[in-house]
Amino acid sequence: MELNQQIDILWILVCSIFVLFMQAGFCCLESGLSRSKNSIHVAIKNVVDVSTVGILYWIFGFGLMFGATTGGLIGTTYFPFTNSGSDIFLSAFFVFQLMLCTTAATIASGASAERMRFTAYVILSIVLGGIIYPVFGHWAWTSHFVGKAPGWLESLGFRDFSGSTVVHSLGAWAALASIMIIGPRIGKFDKRTSSRKLRGHNLTLATMGVFILWIGWFGFNGGSEFGFTSHVPQIFINTFLASACGAITMLVWQYYLRKQIEIEPVLNGLLAGLVASSASCDVVSPASAVVTGIVAAVVMQAGVRVLDYFQLDDTIGVIPVHGFAGVWGTLAVALFIPAELLAHSRLEQFLVQLLGCVVCFIWCFSFCWITLRVISKYIRLRATEDEEKQGLNMAEHGATSEMYELLNLMELHIKGNSHLGEDLDENSDVGLIARQYNRVTQIRDLALNELKDRTENLELTRRELEEKAERLKQANTDAEAASRAKSEFLANMSHEIRTPMTAVLGYTDLLLEESWGRPGSIKLLDVIKRNGNYLLELINDILDLSKIEAGNLSIETIQFPLLEKLKEIQSLMKVRAEHQGLQFKLSFNGKVPVEIQSDPTRLKQILINLIGNAIKFTPDGGKVSVETSLLNSSSNEPLLEFKIRDTGIGMTAGQIDMLYQPFVQADSSTTRKFGGTGLGLAISKRLAEMLGGDLYCESVPGEGTVFTLTIGIGNPAPLEFHTNPQVDFKQIPVNQQESGISELDSETMIMGSCSVLLAEDGVDNQRLISTLLKKEKAHVVLAENGDIAVRRALNAEQQGKPFDVILMDMSMPVLDGYGATRKLRELGIETPIIALTAHAMTGDRQKCIDAGCTDYATKPVNREKLRNIVVKYQCHAEPELITE
């Protein structure tokens, strides 16, 4: 054997000893951060972890991880590991991998310290070291064993030099599963505070443990090179820089936030830097190592906040340090390693690294979760409340101490026995505590007096808080006023946009009509029209939301036939569903009312939005259904329920939580694929509440979604019911005539007997509206402001040729539409005046009617709507004009 090979083997063995030495560091760290009543339990657990996992890894773990691969999924040889001695490097490789496996198992058990029973620790170690770690290691590290084909994950390009994910994140996700199942320690969380810090009994011991881990980590990272190569010094440098920067980051963080330094965050910041550096310390630059360590500390601290928010109790910070920082270190590979070492682009490498992290989480967390859940049916995983309060040293191992005896004697003192015991050594630490305890009763009265003073101070504080609450109430009122101002601004902006949209959509229709069948032109114009209509729908949604937030949206409660309204909705949505290749069905569950009292327009708006979403997010061949039923029929407040089901892409719980926020989509990728602004559901939710009901959602990703809409239906006393609503529904004919204009009206327009005065200041809209009217054989006279419109209308009246209809824009210079309309009515002009405006807020219609307008129409106008309005009033004015 050559000298360099001997040196490599010696290096691996020395690094293996360093990694084993890390177990001493874990023991000191975990014991120091635990309370003294659990410290012996922690020590025993660490010894058993290493011993049990080591034996299992020798028997079959190494074979699962580095045996001959089967499809890159699992090893099938080396059960158990044996080596005749011919391959010394193989034996050294085995020893080093064995130590890494024991490290992962020890990491996993630290989070659940102080409440998990010893038996449960052993089971968790067996599952992790015997199955979870070797299998995932096979996926990611098989080629570390020279000559072996890579696992499936490694073959994609996944890189993790010494185990940020393979060792550290894997152990952390097992820890996460265990603490979610067994719950937090007693007193860690309560209703008044989000988190209570349970301090370790010996922070000096914990600090010494971190120093031991720091030393051992050089063997951990350096040994992963599997030889004493030229990279080893750089690995040492990067390892040190990342860890030191992690510690300094937490030092600065604490000083900036609290001006006070605590040792635990600094220690965890150092460890987070070590964990993150493990994925890429062999190839990155020192500057990259510095950034890796800094970000790792920040990510770790964010992880602590996340665990506190979800009330997950991690005793020593395993999950933030090894899980979150491990994920960051793995992802940082794609960001910092030299480009020439990448087999993919940086984005592709990042996605591969992310895939490895996700696979690790799913594999480890789910396996541990299921295993512990099954085992919990037969074995108690957590210590009882009494055992936890007593301490696992005594409860699990019968290991007593002077402190424990003192606590028992103090309990007797509480019950009336004033003697603290003669067996206590008064010169020991516990004896000193006993003497000091006697002094407690002497100062009790002083404490009560102080409590009285503080009570008075609290009363003063209470009055101050009441004053602050009053100021807060005023601030809330100001905030509501600001919200109304914002909504009014949106309404004004929608007016300014709707006005030019009249010209855009109108001229597009004219161009389509005059394109003379040129396919290319028609296609381009269709694109303009489709996007213009989409923009108009967006403006309408913003306007509706503005009305709701400003408190200006009113609900019209009228009595209307339910089945006819549903038939109308079905006729609209069935065509859209069939166009997308979907099955659409509307059904009924039980009896439903013949007529209900509600707002038919808003009900139709909600249902069309919900059904439209279901159709949009359901792939071809899927199903969309609407089921209608009556709830609380015997109560004074019955509800009508609509269940809109689809077999679409579904949503996660987190996406459902964001559904009803304006301008927010459940998923940014959904927005890119399907479009949408996120306004529809926000408006539907608010409208449902205004209709006396609610809107909520249930969904399963990949299986489909169910939206449930409920609305109030008014006074139940006069209700009549369809006994067989499905049959009655099928018999209702589809009303296809929406305009309501008779053939007689159409003939009137064709004969050219309609004289129209168009008062409009916009040149583009003048041309458009007059062109549309002239195409219908109408005679059009223009007026560019209200003053001219009054003069021309009065002149026509005096000549005996009054206009049939006046179209009046309400926003014009010189004299606006409101003033012009009032002046015409004062002069005795009775010609129908149609208000034509882009204002659409609640109250705008009534404002126009109050000014003297006969009817009200919003911009943008289209040819059909304009024709119907003019024909309606022109026909009513002069029916005798219809002649042959």
Side-chain angles (χ1 to χ4, degrees):
M1 182 182 297
E2 296 180 0
L3 178 61
N4 63 330
Q5 293 177 324
Q6 294 176 355
I7 293 174
D8 289 345
I9 292 171
L10 180 61
W11 173 247
I12 295 173
L13 293 175
V14 170
C15 288
S16 300
I17 296 173
F18 272 86
V19 177
L20 178 61
F21 188 50
M22 291 173 68
Q23 297 294 335
F26 282 121
C27 183
C28 292
L29 175 63
E30 189 175 341
S31 178
L33 293 180
S34 300
R35 288 165 290 184
S36 60
K37 63 181 180 180
N38 300 303
S39 57
I40 298 174
H41 177 76
V42 168
I44 297 175
K45 181 266 299 181
N46 279 23
V47 172
V48 174
D49 275 348
V50 177
S51 303
T52 304
V53 173
I55 296 298
L56 290 175
Y57 193 80
W58 169 69
I59 295 173
F60 55 88
F62 183 83
L64 291 175
M65 190 167 180
F66 293 103
T69 187
T70 301
L73 297 176
I74 197 168
T76 57
T77 57
Y78 296 112
F79 300 118
F81 172 80
T82 56
N83 185 19
S84 61
S86 57
D87 190 346
I88 302 176
F89 183 87
L90 175 60
S91 297
F93 179 85
F94 166 78
V95 172
F96 186 80
Q97 294 296 336
L98 171 64
M99 299 308 156
L100 296 185
C101 181
T102 60
T103 300
T106 303
I107 291 171
S109 62
S112 53
E114 295 197 290
R115 74 269 200 198
M116 180 178 271
R117 297 182 65 226
F118 183 80
T119 305
Y121 275 130
V122 174
I123 294 173
L124 181 62
S125 299
I126 291 173
V127 171
L128 185 68
I131 299 176
I132 296 174
Y133 173 82
V135 171
F136 185 80
H138 186 84
W139 299 344
W141 274 1
T142 309
S143 66
H144 286 191
F145 193 175
V146 179
K148 292 291 183 181
W152 72 269
L153 194 56
E154 189 178 11
S155 66
L156 296 177
F158 179 75
R159 295 178 63 116
D160 187 3
F161 174 68
S162 61
S164 288
T165 289
V166 178
V167 177
H168 297 284
S169 289
L170 184 138
W173 304 144
L176 178 61
S178 67
I179 67 172
M180 289 181 68
I181 291 174
I182 67 173
R185 290 169 288 177
I186 296 173
K188 176 64 176 176
F189 302 103
D190 57 44
K191 296 181 180 179
R192 292 174 299 174
T193 59
S194 60
S195 176
R196 174 188 172 197
K197 189 168 185 177
L198 303 179
R199 297 184 180 276
H201 81 286
N202 195 331
L203 296 182
T204 303
L205 180 64
T207 304
M208 185 176 69
V210 170
F211 272 107
I212 294 174
L213 288 172
W214 203 352
I215 295 170
W217 223 287
F218 289 97
F220 189 95
N221 285 350
S224 296
E225 182 69 8
F226 301 117
F228 194 79
T229 68
S230 58
H231 292 163
V232 170
Q234 190 62 47
I235 290 173
F236 278 21
I237 293 172
N238 290 340
T239 300
F240 176 82
L241 290 176
S243 57
C245 288
I248 293 172
T249 299
M250 292 312 302
L251 189 72
V252 173
W253 180 299
Q254 289 187 89
Y255 186 79
Y256 177 78
L257 292 180
R258 297 195 295 262
K259 307 298 182 184
Q260 189 176 23
I261 308 302
E262 293 182 358
I263 186 63
E264 298 98 320
V266 176
L267 298 179
N268 282 338
L270 188 152
L271 293 175
L274 288 171
V275 170
S277 71
S278 298
S280 58
C281 61
D282 59 324
V283 290
V284 299
S285 66
S288 298
V290 168
V291 175
T292 300
I294 293 172
V295 177
V298 175
V299 169
M300 179 276 298
Q301 187 62 25
V304 172
R305 302 285 178 87
V306 170
L307 292 185
D308 283 345
Y309 178 81
F310 290 102
Q311 295 197 345
L312 296 173
D313 183 10
D314 184 345
T315 304
I316 64 171
V318 167
I319 297 164
V321 171
H322 298 271
F324 290 14
V327 169
W328 154 245
T330 306
L331 297 179
V333 169
L335 305 178
F336 297 134
I337 69 174
E340 60 269 22
L341 299 180
L342 291 173
H344 313 287
S345 68
R346 292 201 181 272
L347 176 59
E348 292 172 336
Q349 185 66 46
F350 183 88
L351 294 176
V352 170
Q353 298 298 109
L354 179 61
L355 174 64
C357 295
V358 172
V359 169
C360 177
F361 176 83
I362 294 174
W363 164 247
C364 181
F365 180 86
S366 59
F367 199 105
C368 286
W369 176 274
I370 294 171
T371 302
L372 291 177
R373 278 295 184 192
V374 172
I375 292 174
S376 66
K377 302 294 183 181
Y378 308 98
I379 299 175
R380 179 163 54 87
L381 302 180
R382 178 171 180 148
T384 64
E385 181 176 351
D386 290 337
E387 289 173 344
E388 187 175 341
K389 290 180 178 179
Q390 183 184 46
L392 299 184
N393 291 351
M394 185 66 187
E396 290 271 272
H397 311 290
T400 186
S401 64
E402 277 191 320
M403 181 62 70
Y404 177 76
E405 293 175 356
L406 174 61
L407 293 175
N408 284 336
L409 291 173
M410 291 172 70
E411 183 68 21
L412 294 175
H413 187 200
I414 293 173
K415 295 177 180 180
N417 187 348
S418 60
H419 299 287
L420 285 178
E422 300 176 352
D423 296 332
L424 290 175
D425 183 3
E426 63 179 6
N427 296 316
S428 67
D429 292 341
V430 174
L432 293 174
I433 294 174
R435 286 210 306 271
Q436 289 297 104
Y437 177 77
N438 282 330
R439 298 181 58 192
V440 172
T441 57
Q442 298 174 5
I443 62 172
R444 179 178 56 192
D445 292 337
L446 294 176
L448 290 174
N449 291 333
E450 183 180 355
L451 179 61
K452 182 179 178 180
D453 295 336
R454 292 192 177 186
T455 302
E456 295 173 355
N457 292 334
L458 285 174
E459 180 62 23
L460 293 174
T461 303
R462 184 187 64 80
R463 287 195 289 269
E464 293 176 359
L465 289 175
E466 289 178 350
E467 295 174 359
K468 290 181 179 179
E470 190 64 29
R471 292 196 296 269
L472 182 61
K473 183 178 179 180
Q474 181 60 41
N476 185 56
T477 302
D478 295 340
E480 291 175 353
S483 177
R484 287 192 295 272
K486 177 207 70 176
S487 300
E488 292 170 2
F489 167 77
L490 288 175
N492 290 332
M493 287 303 299
S494 70
H495 166 266
E496 296 302 320
I497 297 173
R498 291 165 72 95
T499 298
M501 284 302 299
T502 301
V504 172
L505 294 176
Y507 282 114
T508 301
D509 284 334
L510 291 177
L511 288 172
L512 282 170
E513 185 176 307
E514 299 175 0
S515 61
W516 299 298
R518 288 177 291 182
S521 299
I522 294 175
K523 184 176 181 181
L524 295 175
L525 292 170
D526 280 336
V527 172
I528 296 173
K529 184 174 181 180
R530 184 175 66 253
N531 284 277
N533 285 327
Y534 173 76
L535 180 58
L536 183 58
E537 292 175 1
L538 175 60
I539 295 168
N540 290 335
D541 282 344
I542 294 175
L543 192 58
D544 274 344
L545 187 63
S546 300
K547 293 176 184 178
I548 293 172
E549 292 186 347
N552 292 331
L553 184 68
S554 60
I555 295 297
E556 179 185 26
T557 302
I558 62 174
Q559 192 157 323
F560 65 95
L562 174 63
L563 294 190
E564 291 183 15
K565 179 57 65 176
L566 294 179
K567 193 72 173 184
E568 178 184 351
I569 295 170
Q570 185 199 42
S571 66
L572 291 173
M573 305 311 295
K574 188 174 182 180
V575 175
R576 190 185 303 182
E578 291 174 349
H579 178 73
Q580 195 167 319
L582 305 178
Q583 298 181 29
F584 178 71
K585 180 181 179 182
L586 196 151
S587 62
F588 301 88
N589 183 11
K591 61 182 182 179
V592 297
V594 175
E595 292 186 338
I596 65 172
Q597 295 177 1
S598 186
D599 189 329
T601 301
R602 296 305 178 182
L603 175 60
K604 179 179 177 181
Q605 179 180 354
I606 299 172
L607 288 175
I608 286 180
N609 180 64
L610 295 176
I611 298 171
N613 278 347
I615 293 173
K616 180 166 66 173
F617 296 111
T618 301
D620 295 349
K623 298 179 181 179
V624 176
S625 65
V626 180
E627 181 184 88
T628 305
S629 59
L630 182 64
L631 303 179
N632 305 329
S633 58
S634 59
S635 70
N636 294 327
E637 295 180 354
L639 297 175
L640 200 62
E641 179 183 81
F642 303 89
K643 284 189 175 291
I644 298 88
R645 292 186 173 89
D646 66 63
T647 59
I649 60 177
M651 293 174 286
T652 64
Q655 291 170 339
I656 291 175
D657 290 340
M658 299 187 296
L659 277 181
Y660 308 115
Q661 300 179 27
F663 303 101
V664 175
Q665 280 275 12
D667 190 341
S668 59
S669 62
T670 301
T671 306
R672 291 195 297 271
K673 183 176 180 181
F674 297 100
T677 63
L679 284 176
L681 287 175
I683 294 172
S684 297
K685 175 75 170 179
R686 289 159 174 79
L687 289 177
E689 293 171 351
M690 295 175 72
L691 292 177
D694 203 353
L695 176 65
Y696 53 93
C697 173
E698 298 174 330
S699 185
V700 177
E703 295 183 13
T705 302
V706 179
F707 276 95
T708 301
L709 167 68
T710 58
I711 64 167
I713 60 173
N715 186 2
L719 286 182
E720 297 179 1
F721 297 91
H722 290 281
T723 56
N724 195 336
Q726 198 70 49
V727 175
D728 296 342
F729 180 77
K730 291 180 180 179
Q731 295 175 353
I732 297 176
V734 178
N735 183 14
Q736 297 180 344
Q737 184 177 357
E738 296 180 358
S739 64
I741 302 302
S742 66
E743 294 180 2
L744 185 66
D745 299 327
S746 179
E747 183 67 23
T748 301
M749 290 295 288
I750 293 172
M751 295 301 295
S753 61
C754 183
S755 176
V756 180
L757 173 61
L758 173 61
E760 168 64 55
D761 63 314
V763 176
D764 292 334
N765 286 338
Q766 283 181 358
R767 293 174 180 172
L768 172 63
I769 298 173
S770 61
T771 300
L772 294 175
L773 292 171
K774 289 175 182 178
K775 283 182 175 289
E776 299 297 337
K777 311 298 184 183
H779 176 67
V780 182
V781 176
L782 295 176
E784 56 265 30
N785 60 55
D787 184 64
I788 295 174
V790 171
R791 294 202 303 269
R792 289 183 177 174
L794 186 61
N795 184 51
E797 191 79 15
Q798 291 171 350
Q799 293 178 3
K801 297 179 181 179
F803 292 101
D804 295 317
V805 180
I806 299 175
L807 296 180
M808 183 73 71
D809 182 20
M810 307 311 286
S811 299
M812 291 184 294
V814 183
L815 181 65
D816 64 14
Y818 300 100
T821 301
R822 282 191 289 266
K823 193 168 185 179
L824 286 172
R825 296 308 186 205
E826 290 171 359
L827 294 171
I829 304 298
E830 297 180 356
T831 302
I833 301 176
I834 312 300
L836 199 61
T837 178
H839 284 293
M841 290 292 285
T842 299
D844 288 332
R845 176 186 178 89
Q846 190 60 44
K847 183 178 179 181
C848 294
I849 300 300
D850 293 342
C853 293
T854 311
D855 207 340
Y856 167 91
T858 59
K859 295 179 181 178
V861 297
N862 59 41
R863 183 174 181 177
E864 189 63 21
K865 291 182 179 178
L866 183 64
R867 178 176 181 272
N868 293 344
I869 291 172
V870 175
V871 168
K872 174 182 177 182
Y873 290 100
Q874 182 266 335
C875 291
H876 292 167
E878 293 184 347
E880 67 276 10
L881 293 177
I882 302 167
T883 60
E884 288 292 326

